[in-house]
Amino acid sequence: MIKKNVLFCKNNGITLVALVITIIILLILAGITINSLTNSGLFGKAQEATKISELKEIEEFARISYMEGQMEEIAGGEQTTMAGVISDLKEKGYKIKEITSGENAITGIALSEENVTVERNTEKTVTYTFVYSEGTTVRYFVEVQGKYYEILFNNGNIIVNTEETNVGEISKEPEVTVISSDSTTIEASKTENGKIKLTAKDKIGDVEITVKEVNSGVTKKITATTRIPATGLSISQESATVEVGKTLQLTATVEPSNTTDNIEWNSLDESVATISDNGMITAGKSGRTKIYAKAGNKSRECDLNVVSPPITISGSNDLSELFTSEVIKVVYNDSFTNTSYNNLRNHIRLPLKSPQINYAGFVINMDLVGEKLRRIWKS
């Protein structure tokens, strides 16, 4: 639920008390004793007024939270929005008791994370909520002046009861315990309603965290792992060219060397090239793609160009007459003969399918040959 940008002044009650004190001082100056004021119940009335003022502020905050929640989560229904109101009240700093009734009302515990990683020598907070069986009654109470007052939900209307409720006479509220299998690696403790603090020590390892609701006996276990984050990452090549069907090995270096973050490789376009978990690139088809290496929140990339391989024509091929010394001169010496021109013109379609032709130890750039022919044909 989005936090509400609603300001609620909680000073009304304080202002009222200050006013009463001022009146008392004036009365004393007028010759009226404190004892007579106490006997008249003025102090009790001031305290009651302060309580009512605070309860009304809580009620107003809850109503606005509920209305905004209905607009944001209309598909979730009333129960979803009620849970959001209680969450907002807790965030606001109010102490809320959640009490259920019914046999075996709590059937499960849900946690915000079930496989938790915590950086070494740091803390992390995990939240938990209860899963209730169908037909379970859940009641909420807010603490004001050390006493509890029920928050009532009725068809979208929210009222905070001004009469105190003795919560001890109602069914027990959920009681949660949190235990770590190895407190020397990660220490676990319940800090407040719905929150668990995990404190990672200097050791590296996995621990099992057990969350238990005492009254129902329902438990939930999660795995927590201490982590040494990567602080630096480099790769062996930031650009490369590979022929179709060939492979290329990339390597990555991560710092510090004892980091618990693994190196992950990915290809932006796997139809052009794929990469294995150990950094081996396999070129699939001609084109361009990016290869990514990642360790923790560090990443690097390599620009990869996949090209078609040169076509090799054997000396026995019937097109061998095309690849004479004169053709080679066209490329390297910028000279040309009628014989070379006629031969190439008759067979130009096949050679131009590849940018390079390898013949008798010479690599002939057919793009240059084709450009020379185009110049001649235009003249």
Side-chain angles (χ1 to χ4, degrees):
M1 167 135 353
I2 298 175
K3 299 297 176 292
K4 318 301 176 300
N5 295 321
V6 182
L7 296 177
F8 286 89
C9 176
K10 301 179 71 173
N11 298 323
N12 293 344
I14 297 173
T15 303
L16 182 59
V17 171
L19 178 60
V20 170
I21 292 173
T22 302
I23 294 172
I24 291 171
I25 293 172
L26 293 174
L27 290 173
I28 291 173
L29 294 175
I32 301 176
T33 65
I34 295 294
N35 185 56
S36 62
L37 288 173
T38 304
N39 292 336
S40 68
L42 183 58
F43 280 117
K45 291 178 181 179
Q47 190 175 27
E48 179 71 12
T50 302
K51 180 198 76 174
I52 296 297
S53 175
E54 186 169 355
L55 290 174
K56 289 301 179 184
E57 288 173 3
I58 295 170
E59 184 176 279
E60 185 66 18
F61 178 85
R63 286 177 177 175
I64 292 176
S65 172
Y66 183 85
M67 287 188 292
E68 293 189 6
Q70 285 284 54
M71 290 186 288
E72 295 167 7
E73 303 176 24
I74 192 167
E78 183 176 350
Q79 192 64 40
T80 300
T81 308
M82 286 167 54
V85 171
I86 296 303
S87 176
D88 287 346
L89 286 169
K90 290 179 180 178
E91 289 293 328
K92 185 73 174 174
Y94 294 110
K95 186 175 180 181
I96 304 293
K97 277 189 179 292
E98 180 179 322
I99 299 179
T100 62
S101 60
E103 295 183 2
N104 300 319
I106 296 177
T107 58
I109 301 173
L111 294 124
S112 57
E113 295 182 60
E114 296 198 4
N115 292 291
V116 186
T117 57
V118 190
E119 290 188 19
R120 189 173 55 173
N121 299 316
T122 63
E123 295 179 353
K124 188 170 188 178
T125 299
V126 177
T127 60
Y128 65 87
T129 55
F130 298 112
V131 179
Y132 296 104
S133 61
E134 186 176 353
T136 299
T137 301
V138 184
R139 298 172 67 182
Y140 303 99
F141 301 85
V142 60
E143 181 183 349
V144 174
Q145 298 180 1
K147 299 177 180 180
Y148 286 92
Y149 301 88
E150 187 168 8
I151 304 171
L152 303 173
F153 297 86
N154 185 17
N155 295 323
N157 187 30
I158 297 178
I159 298 173
V160 179
N161 197 339
T162 58
E163 297 296 325
E164 176 193 357
T165 300
N166 185 353
V167 294
E169 296 178 354
I170 309 175
S171 299
K172 292 182 179 180
E173 66 175 316
E175 182 181 349
V176 175
T177 59
V178 182
I179 300 174
S180 169
S181 62
D182 183 3
S183 295
T184 63
T185 301
I186 297 179
E187 189 178 82
S189 60
K190 187 172 82 70
T191 58
E192 55 185 279
N193 286 343
K195 292 184 179 180
I196 298 168
K197 182 175 71 174
L198 302 177
T199 304
K201 304 302 179 65
D202 196 51
K203 291 174 62 177
I204 299 298
D206 297 339
V207 300
E208 185 177 74
I209 305 297
T210 302
V211 184
K212 180 178 180 180
E213 199 288 305
V214 176
N215 298 318
S216 63
V218 172
T219 61
K220 179 71 175 183
K221 295 182 178 182
I222 61 172
T223 300
T225 305
T226 48
R227 170 177 173 260
I228 302 176
T231 58
L233 177 66
S234 60
I235 55 177
S236 55
Q237 291 180 249
E238 294 187 353
S239 63
T241 299
V242 187
E243 292 181 3
V244 173
K246 297 295 181 64
T247 60
L248 174 67
Q249 178 69 56
L250 291 183
T251 58
T253 303
V254 64
E255 296 178 351
S257 58
N258 65 338
T259 179
T260 54
D261 290 332
N262 296 320
I263 299 172
E264 300 176 1
W265 295 96
N266 289 287
S267 172
L268 181 63
D269 187 348
E270 293 191 342
S271 67
V272 173
T274 59
I275 187 164
S276 66
D277 291 340
N278 63 0
M280 180 66 74
I281 294 174
T282 301
K285 69 175 184 180
S286 59
R288 303 191 75 92
T289 187
K290 287 184 180 293
I291 301 297
Y292 298 103
K294 183 181 179 186
N297 61 359
K298 303 296 180 181
S299 62
R300 290 292 181 270
E301 62 183 54
C302 172
D303 291 316
L304 184 67
N305 183 26
V306 178
V307 298
S308 299
I311 296 175
T312 299
I313 305 293
S314 66
S316 61
N317 192 286
D318 58 1
L319 297 177
S320 61
E321 61 181 14
L322 298 179
F323 307 104
T324 63
S325 60
E326 286 82 8
V327 175
I328 298 172
K329 287 178 182 179
V330 170
V331 178
Y332 296 103
N333 300 325
D334 199 31
S335 64
F336 200 78
T337 66
N338 289 334
T339 302
S340 300
Y341 163 73
N342 290 330
N343 287 336
L344 282 170
R345 185 177 184 184
N346 291 334
H347 303 89
I348 196 67
R349 289 187 302 276
L350 179 60
L352 288 183
K353 288 184 178 179
S354 175
Q356 293 181 336
I357 301 297
N358 189 316
Y359 174 71
F362 295 97
V363 177
I364 303 172
N365 189 322
M366 294 309 295
D367 287 339
L368 296 180
V369 174
E371 178 62 27
K372 174 63 72 173
L373 289 175
R374 283 190 289 275
R375 292 176 188 170
I376 295 173
W377 289 334
K378 289 180 180 179
S379 61

